[in-house]
Amino acid sequence: MVRTVAPSNRRGLIYIAIAGMAWGTGGAVAAVLFRNTGLDSVAVSFWRLAGGAAWLALTWPLLRRLPVERSALLARQLASAPLRLALTGAGLAIYQLAYFAAVGLVGVAVSTVVALGAGPVLIAVGARIWLAERLGRRGVVTLAVALVGLVLLVLGGGGAAGSSSVLGTGLAVLSALGYAATTLLSRAMTTGSGGSDPVGNALLGFAIGACALLPFAVWAGLWPTAGNPVVSATLLAYLGLVPTALAYGLFYVGLTSVSATTASVVALTESLLAALIGVLLLHEPLTSLAVAGGVLLLGAVVARALHERRTTVR
């Protein structure tokens, strides 16, 4: 199996913050694809995972300085934890698809608040039960402040709220469950003396998730039916590279040195960049409520990161 040396705690926090910001660009790209290409949530989710797997397959050997026999190395890594990697792939497919489907039913704002808000809570509970990670009283307060900031930022940011829908809200919760499961699985697989390579895990997870979605994507319509094909291909390539291969690669590497709960809070930088994109590129109004939410959220992220650093140094 290919193992990796965990980065320092400081570098891990930086990796996760960058991953969150890279995720923040994915929603805008997906929205453009939905509007201009005729692709639905199933097809976009498939291309995102397939693109992520392709980009990592090209770059992973270079990043890890691996020999040519990378397929054999991946096969050994898959054989070492087949069930966990299969669950990771299924989780990636479920939470990508569920989130995009929720957006269509209840809008971006409600989907983001439910999915991103429930994710850290589920991860905190799962990390306490499964990984024995203690959040502590200060951590609970920080998490609560972050969630309040998230709600104010998203709902005050002028995004489409959509109509009330039990199904849409349920899909957003399902997305949060998938996100929490894949985060905890990656943390469990890549920590300890027998930890596996996190980038290889991401590559295998993307490939498994894409294979799971492929039949449904073919049935729904795999290829763009409208718009400029060059633009569509460029957007799909970007979706696979930046908010998928780069973001998840950095996030999973960061998880080797950062607790799962802290990682989920720091990754909320996704919503900050998404709001900034909405203001600068989509000309959405910047309300005082959104500004207050952004300040609260950023403060909570910084506070949690500093607490993680102090705890690790001790």
Side-chain angles (χ1 to χ4, degrees):
M1 187 196 306
V2 179
R3 293 181 175 88
T4 187
V5 177
S8 66
N9 179 258
R10 178 182 180 183
R11 184 172 294 182
L13 289 167
I14 293 172
Y15 286 172
I16 290 168
I18 295 173
M21 289 185 284
W23 281 334
T25 68
V29 173
V32 174
L33 287 167
F34 290 148
R35 187 168 59 246
N36 297 320
T37 66
L39 295 174
D40 67 1
S41 57
V42 179
V44 170
S45 299
F46 164 77
W47 284 118
R48 179 174 189 176
L49 294 179
W55 282 115
L56 284 183
L58 290 173
T59 58
W60 183 59
L62 301 176
L63 294 172
R64 303 293 304 137
R65 298 179 182 177
L66 296 174
V68 177
E69 302 87 354
R70 57 181 181 265
S71 59
L73 293 170
L74 283 174
R76 288 200 293 271
Q77 189 160 334
L78 177 60
S80 68
L83 179 58
R84 288 188 175 184
L85 285 167
L87 291 174
T88 297
L92 286 166
I94 288 170
Y95 97 73
Q96 299 290 336
L97 181 57
Y99 177 75
F100 287 143
V103 168
L105 291 172
V106 296
V108 175
V110 174
S111 299
T112 301
V113 167
V114 174
L116 288 186
V121 176
L122 293 170
I123 289 170
V125 173
R128 180 68 182 92
I129 296 172
W130 185 15
L131 305 176
E133 292 182 1
R134 294 181 178 274
L135 184 59
R137 189 174 300 175
R138 182 180 297 179
V140 172
V141 173
T142 303
L143 179 57
V145 171
L147 296 181
V148 171
L150 173 67
V151 171
L152 295 178
L153 174 65
V154 176
L155 297 185
S163 58
S164 177
S165 167
V166 174
L167 177 60
T169 303
L171 286 169
V173 173
L174 180 62
S175 177
L177 283 167
Y179 169 55
T182 55
T183 299
L184 294 171
L185 282 166
S186 180
R187 174 71 173 165
M189 285 190 292
T190 56
T191 54
S193 58
S196 57
D197 177 64
V199 180
N201 289 342
L203 195 167
L204 290 167
F206 293 154
I208 293 169
C211 289
L213 288 176
L214 179 58
F216 304 99
V218 171
W219 180 76
L222 189 59
W223 306 106
T225 58
N228 186 312
V230 175
V231 174
S232 299
T234 301
L235 290 174
L236 287 171
Y238 176 88
L239 190 64
L241 176 60
V242 176
T244 310
L246 174 65
Y248 284 100
L250 289 174
F251 185 73
Y252 286 170
V253 171
L255 277 173
T256 62
S257 61
V258 177
S259 70
T261 304
T262 297
S264 67
V265 173
V266 174
L268 290 175
T269 50
E270 171 184 355
S271 59
L272 292 171
L273 187 60
L276 186 62
I277 290 173
V279 171
L280 297 180
L281 300 182
L282 304 179
H283 308 294
E284 294 178 354
L286 183 63
T287 66
S288 57
L289 196 64
V291 172
V295 170
L296 281 176
L297 180 54
L298 183 59
V301 167
V302 172
R304 186 62 194 172
L306 290 175
H307 176 73
E308 177 90 7
R309 289 281 296 142
R310 286 194 299 267
T311 303
T312 302
V313 169
R314 289 175 191 170

